[in-house]
Amino acid sequence: LSQITGVLPALVTPFDENEAFDEGRMRTVVDFLIRRKVDGLYVTGSTGEAFMMSPEERKRVLEVVMDEVKGRIPVIAHVGAISTHLSIDLARHAEKVGADALSSVPPFYWGFSQDQIVSYYTDITASTGLPMCVYNVPLAGLFGFDMIKRLAQIKGVEGIKYTASTHHDIMRIKTEIGQDFVLYSGADEMAMSGVAFGADGIIGSFYNTIPEVFIDLFAAAKAGDIEKARALQEVGNAIIFFALARNPIAAIKRSMAWQGADAGYCRKPFGNFYDAASEEKLKAEFRA
Ligand code: HMN
């Protein structure tokens, strides 16, 4: 995992107007992002609408991405699911098609115990030779600091995608677990503080549509240019909060289309901005 640093979009998954996976649009989006110099991709995560898809569809998305990337940048495959059995199947497939690393949310919905969550990560990580990046995100239930320490002991767990707002723990993870435990900051609106507290990379939804802002921000924050990083975060946040107040994944996809990489539709119940009236409204508000 230590080889994967910098700015990684949590890749959107384009669907067509009938909600089928759109391979052509997926390829366009991957190329668009590589041309814009992102450092890697995080595939079939929350932004990628993973939980809207069947396991077979998730595998197909990853296969198309791997085929289009052709080794140009590293790929982290998110294989999170509620059952260990299913995650292992996705993990083995990810290894087979050449993904560089795995990531997973903890099993959710039933409120699993810490022991069950530890066994989940232990079993998935043991099933392949790929490094695992555990995923700390409010949507799936946040880990406390002690749990993060416990997960870091598991063989093969080499890092964390940290999408909690308690950024002081980013520094603590680095100092108490180890500087080589790879940390990706996952809250785009706090990318600057994530990097300032020691993150090795940033993974997020908005790096699909405005990667340059965050590539420059990442470089500035790493170089200690706080003024520049803050100015860039302000630009990014205006766009982030605009989208968050609407329908973020759909807004991100549409704003990519305006830039020449049509990222297609979202699956219901997310909804879209495709009818002329809602698109014009979105554009007008965006300009304002
Ligand atoms: C993924 O799994 O798709 C992500 O990387 C998720 C990512 O961390 C986003 N968080 C959530 O969706 C909960 C952020 O990019 C988020 O969209 C952004 O910080 C705005 O709040």
Side-chain angles (χ1 to χ4, degrees):
L1 221 52
S2 60
Q3 307 298 313
I4 309 176
T5 59
V7 180
L8 288 82
L11 193 65
V12 290
T13 303
F15 298 101
D16 68 16
E17 58 275 33
N18 299 315
E19 299 198 18
F21 170 53
D22 192 325
E23 179 177 332
R25 282 178 166 126
M26 183 81 267
R27 290 182 184 277
T28 302
V29 164
V30 167
D31 274 329
F32 167 81
L33 292 170
I34 294 178
R35 270 189 282 112
R36 291 174 75 175
K37 304 215 174 344
V38 301
D39 298 298
L41 295 172
Y42 187 89
V43 181
T44 58
S46 345
T47 312
E49 297 171 70
F51 301 111
M52 299 286 193
M53 286 187 275
S54 70
E56 294 320 311
E57 288 176 314
R58 289 173 66 169
K59 289 179 185 173
R60 181 72 193 134
V61 171
L62 184 63
E63 285 164 16
V64 170
V65 171
M66 294 311 301
D67 185 60
E68 193 61 34
V69 169
K70 293 195 175 57
R72 289 179 285 173
I73 51 172
V75 171
I76 303 177
H78 174 262
V79 298
I82 301 180
S83 90
T84 305
H85 182 79
L86 182 48
S87 301
I88 287 179
D89 181 44
L90 292 169
R92 289 192 173 138
H93 169 266
E95 182 173 47
K96 195 178 80 193
V97 300
D100 299 274
L102 304 175
S103 182
S104 179
V105 289
F108 51 93
Y109 186 73
W110 274 291
F112 294 97
S113 70
Q114 296 204 344
D115 287 347
Q116 287 169 325
I117 292 172
V118 168
S119 85
Y120 172 87
Y121 282 110
T122 306
D123 293 342
I124 300 171
T125 309
S127 74
T128 77
L130 296 179
M132 164 65 74
C133 168
V134 301
Y135 185 1
N136 195 31
V137 61
L139 291 172
L142 289 173
F143 310 127
F145 188 72
D146 290 341
M147 182 60 173
I148 293 175
K149 274 182 144 171
R150 226 182 129 186
L151 294 171
Q153 306 297 314
I154 299 172
K155 189 170 178 296
V157 170
E158 295 186 9
I160 187 165
K161 171 160 144 51
Y162 192 89
T163 309
S165 56
T166 41
H167 271 202
H168 52 278
D169 273 344
I170 292 179
M171 181 184 277
R172 213 172 152 211
I173 288 168
K174 284 288 186 180
T175 51
E176 292 188 33
I177 295 175
Q179 293 299 330
D180 55 353
F181 191 69
V182 180
L183 196 143
Y184 304 101
S185 184
D188 310 5
E189 59 277 43
M190 291 180 275
M192 173 189 168
S193 76
V195 180
F197 276 119
D200 303 284
I202 53 178
I203 299 176
S205 325
F206 286 86
Y207 316 148
N208 284 284
T209 186
I210 45 169
E212 292 82 3
V213 174
F214 289 92
I215 290 170
D216 289 353
L217 181 154
F218 185 80
K222 279 283 173 206
D225 188 344
I226 296 302
E227 279 316 311
K228 184 170 179 191
R230 185 162 45 211
L232 288 162
Q233 185 76 70
E234 220 170 329
V235 171
N237 284 9
I239 293 169
I240 291 170
F241 291 122
F242 170 83
L244 287 181
R246 288 157 179 85
N247 187 356
I249 302 179
I252 287 170
K253 285 180 169 177
R254 241 7 238 152
S255 67
M256 293 170 76
W258 302 340
Q259 302 173 70
D262 184 350
Y265 295 73
C266 288
R267 275 195 169 163
K268 280 183 183 169
F270 276 132
N272 291 286
F273 291 103
Y274 259 86
D275 66 280
S278 64
E279 173 144 19
E280 278 322 306
K281 186 166 177 285
L282 182 74
K283 272 191 180 167
E285 288 169 353
F286 185 84
R287 281 197 199 96

